Amino acid sequence: MKKAIEDTWPESRHRLCMWHIMDKLSAKVGASICNNTDFKKSLCAIVWTDSIIPVKFESEWATIMNDFNLVDHEWLQSLYQIRDTWIPAYYREEVMSGLMRTSSRSESENHFFGQFCNPGCTLVEFLGHFDSAIEAQRHEHRKNDHDTRNTNAEIWAEDFVLEDQASRIYTRTIFFDQQLEIQNSIHRCAIGKWEDIGDFVNFFVKDWEQPCTTFFEVMMREADMTIYCTCKRFEQFGLLCSHIFCVLRMLDIREFPQRYILRRWTREAVPNSAPGAILGINETENRYNEVNRVVREITYSTESVINQLVTNFDALCSFRDHVVNYFKTADESVVNAPPKSRSCSHWNKIQRYGHNRRSCKNPTRTKEQAMAEDDGEEADEVDEEEDEWEEVEEDMDEQDEDALDEEDGEEE
């Protein structure tokens, strides 16, 4: 498979699954050394981390092998020779949002489909089960989206305004990730020193969660909020790290850096509307975004009201009636299509589409005559409408008089 991937996608990079490798550790090295010593804990500390650099990983690996007399272990040495294919320290520069360290994505899909089908299913049965499973996934997505938009997450650091802003920017799951980073920045990170380097300020941040690294360096230019950390968490995952939050908190930054908010992690990543179908393809991007925002606001507000009134049937019916009445009003406000053109008497027999007295080329009729005839017909139509309204008003007056006579008779 590795050879095929290199030939088909020469710019791709084939990696091994970290989980499957570490799952074999006890069987290959021995259950005794894994369960009765700190070997497994020490090894996991340098394997399951995105923060250390390759040089640091190699030195820590050598220390662990020496401490537990595993320098000559054949299986561990073979893994070390191909360390660039499975250790995160060797692909810190690559943008992948942290999604491809293991084969968990395909494994989860296998588990998902294995819950409702088996090799004995017919094609019809599989399609039926597949539709039900996909609908369950969509329901879960809608539920999560609703929880994100209509419930408030618990804020742990109320004095740090960026946490509250993050709760209103990101989806709930991504916010929980950022919340942990913010908590780590408060309780487990400290700034040792800083120095000016041109337009930037270089902060040296100590992270007590990462004992393998002495200091992380955070470069920041406050003029345009350019930030960079040597842990490269943002480059890998698209999310700010605890070291950057530590610097932002010390500088009392009151607004979340907009340039470091990736759309894929925000609430607006999957809009619930398609305004392009309403606006057409010739609209500008600003107009598209504006209408998209308004449509989403309407959708989410309506959904929120329904969820609040679902236990009150009478109030729910009143809201429905309000929406139906407004729907009728919206129908009446729609611009009507232009009336069909009147056919002229000359072409009345063949009823040619789009032909009327004004466009008729009958030589027996002049342009002035055609326009005069059209004006006369329009005046006749107005007179007919006025006559109809007069008849309606007369009928209503007669009904009122009859009602009054009946009341007078009952009183007598």
Side-chain angles (χ1 to χ4, degrees), residues 88-126:
Y90 290 90
Y91 42 88
R92 296 169 69 244
E93 305 289 339
E94 300 178 29
V95 180
M96 58 181 183
S97 296
L99 298 177
M100 300 299 289
R101 292 190 302 174
T102 69
S103 60
S104 57
R105 190 171 186 177
S106 62
E107 296 292 346
S108 63
E109 288 297 320
N110 293 338
H111 173 71
F112 171 74
F113 285 107
Q115 289 180 314
F116 63 86
C117 67
N118 56 69
C121 285
T122 65
L123 181 60
V124 175
E125 291 174 338
F126 171 79

Side-chain angles (χ1 to χ4, degrees), residues 12 24 36 61 99 101 119 139 146 196 222 262 279-280 299 316 328 339 412:
S12 66
K24 298 177 182 178
N36 300 328
W61 177 281
L99 298 177
R101 292 190 302 174
H139 172 75
H146 172 267
D196 294 331
E222 194 170 353
L262 297 189
L279 295 175
T299 303
L316 192 64
K328 294 178 180 178
E412 292 176 358

